Amino acid sequence: MAAGAAAAAVGAVEEVGSVGQFEELLSLKAKSLLVVHFWAPWAPQCAQMNEVMAELAKEHPQVSFAKLEAEGVPEVSEKYEISSVPTFLFFKNSQKIDRLDGAHAPELTKKVQRHASSGSFPPSANEHLKEDLNLRLKKLTRAAPCMLFMKGTPQEPRCGFSKQMVEILHKHNIQFSSFDIFSDEEVRQGLKTYSNWPTYPQLYVSGELIGGLDIIKELEASEELDKICPKAPKLEERLKVLTNKASVMLFMKGNKQEAKCGFSKQILEILNSTGVEYETFDILEDEEVRQGLKAYSNWPTYPQLYVKGELVGGLDIVKFHLGSSR
């Protein structure tokens, strides 16, 4: 591949078809941000992300974009541990600085903007960057009393070990938040050094590393796990807190800005017309609350309106009260 061909038109997405082309591209684009899409022609989500990348290439002419067919150049895919498509790698100074697995257009846009604006850092800045990363990792590990760093999410684990960890935590009714290490390569690599623990998942309590799956299994077997990790509140306690979250609480399909059923839309219009201050909870976002509140309140449908923790009723009751008060 000639240098002129590699330095393609600004705003274009370059195609890489061999190891040599890839290495030459890394060298030619060393001083700028290079984003490489590992894709496959049989995956429709890759075609969608190619379109997203083409738009990003127009918006960020200072950034270089390329696409590489993962199965067509297996040497490169294996070197960078590409196990699924689409996957995006970010390079600066010929070094990989970040990674994004999956078809997440908003996250891709965010990462391109972040890395494009950060510029190139001289070697002397490395210690400062390391210090900043450690501060970030400290905050992340303390983001919740119990933090799980895993591959994927609790709803969609992306490796067997992460799936087992989530199952154990749920079985013991442990309240935890999670961080998908596939969403941030800097965190994925940095946390290994920060915690001196080379694999995932990793579980932290109050910012302290407890361990990986094997350690959690040992703690479960010795009945120590329940003593170490915070318990999720029982559903009834949680519903009591939620119904008292504001003086007037509306449990509905959707939220104040966007009702997702006709009944919820009508009750919003009624409340807005009265000028009363109220908060909402979207039951479509939490199936446990959606089902549990029916039994808790002995009211089978939504929306449900609560005043000072007490159920007033649904749309018909609110209409009746409003009519009788006029």
Side-chain angles (χ1 to χ4, degrees):
M1 183 178 183
V10 170
V13 177
E14 303 176 39
E15 288 202 42
V16 178
S18 70
V19 176
Q21 287 180 356
F22 178 74
E23 289 176 348
E24 186 175 3
L25 189 66
L26 274 185
S27 175
L28 285 167
K29 305 298 183 181
K31 293 185 179 178
S32 66
L33 174 65
L34 170 64
V35 183
V36 181
H37 177 199
F38 288 79
W39 72 293
W42 47 262
Q45 62 269 37
C46 288
Q48 294 166 6
M49 294 307 290
N50 275 335
E51 291 176 13
V52 172
M53 201 163 67
E55 288 301 313
L56 287 172
K58 292 175 191 171
E59 294 172 20
H60 300 276
Q62 79 280 23
V63 178
S64 300
F65 293 87
K67 58 181 184 177
L68 183 153
E69 192 176 328
E71 293 167 353
V73 193
E75 300 90 343
V76 177
S77 298
E78 288 169 13
K79 179 180 178 181
Y80 292 100
E81 299 178 346
I82 306 299
S83 57
S84 62
V85 292
T87 293
F88 297 85
L89 297 187
F90 299 74
F91 295 88
K92 266 186 185 175
N93 301 320
S94 302
Q95 299 295 315
K96 184 184 74 171
I97 58 165
D98 206 348
R99 174 187 183 117
L100 175 65
D101 293 77
H104 306 295
E107 190 64 29
L108 177 63
T109 303
K110 198 188 300 179
K111 283 180 178 286
V112 168
Q113 290 170 342
R114 179 158 59 100
H115 291 302
S117 62
S118 64
S120 296
F121 297 100
S124 59
N126 284 348
E127 284 304 313
H128 180 62
L129 283 174
K130 189 175 179 182
E131 183 182 337
D132 286 347
L133 175 59
N134 281 342
L135 285 172
R136 189 177 169 220
L137 294 173
K138 185 177 181 180
K139 286 180 182 176
L140 277 174
T141 55
R142 295 173 182 273
C146 185
M147 275 296 294
L148 175 64
F149 292 80
M150 62 180 290
K151 294 180 180 179
T153 65
Q155 294 74 32
E156 291 185 38
R158 295 178 64 182
C159 83
F161 300 126
S162 292
K163 185 170 185 276
Q164 287 183 61
M165 179 77 92
V166 168
E167 287 170 351
I168 290 171
L169 295 178
H170 280 158
K171 184 170 79 175
H172 288 264
N173 194 33
I174 288 166
Q175 187 173 26
F176 68 98
S177 294
S178 66
F179 185 94
D180 180 2
I181 57 159
F182 279 150
S183 69
D184 194 314
E185 185 67 12
E186 186 180 49
V187 170
R188 181 183 185 178
Q189 300 303 332
L191 197 60
K192 294 177 185 178
T193 306
Y194 177 85
S195 61
N196 195 26
W197 195 271
T199 58
Y200 290 99
Q202 295 181 14
L203 188 70
Y204 291 75
V205 172
S206 302
E208 297 294 324
L209 175 69
I210 303 302
L213 180 61
D214 289 342
I215 300 291
I216 299 308
K217 282 182 173 178
E218 288 175 12
L219 290 171
E220 182 186 31
S222 65
E223 299 184 354
E224 290 292 313
L225 187 63
D226 291 322
K227 300 173 186 174
I228 294 171
C229 297
K231 289 284 191 177
K234 287 187 170 63
L235 180 59
E236 190 171 333
E237 291 172 13
R238 190 175 169 221
L239 294 174
K240 187 175 181 181
V241 170
L242 279 174
T243 53
N244 284 278
K245 189 177 176 185
S247 293
V248 180
M249 273 297 295
L250 176 64
F251 292 81
M252 61 178 287
K253 294 178 180 178
N255 53 46
K256 277 185 183 180
Q257 290 71 39
E258 185 186 4
K260 291 184 177 175
C261 83
F263 300 127
S264 292
K265 187 180 179 195
Q266 286 183 61
I267 205 165
L268 280 183
E269 289 169 352
I270 291 170
L271 290 173
N272 289 337
S273 72
T274 65
V276 67
E277 289 189 10
Y278 66 96
E279 295 295 328
T280 63
F281 184 94
D282 184 358
I283 56 153
L284 298 176
E285 294 289 321
D286 194 316
E287 189 64 18
E288 185 182 49
V289 169
R290 182 180 185 175
Q291 300 305 329
L293 197 60
K294 293 177 186 178
Y296 178 83
S297 62
N298 196 25
W299 194 271
T301 59
Y302 289 99
Q304 293 183 17
L305 185 70
Y306 290 76
V307 174
K308 295 181 179 176
E310 295 295 323
L311 175 69
V312 174
L315 178 61
D316 289 341
I317 301 292
V318 172
K319 279 182 174 177
F320 173 78
H321 278 292
L322 192 69
S324 63
S325 66
R326 285 179 174 173

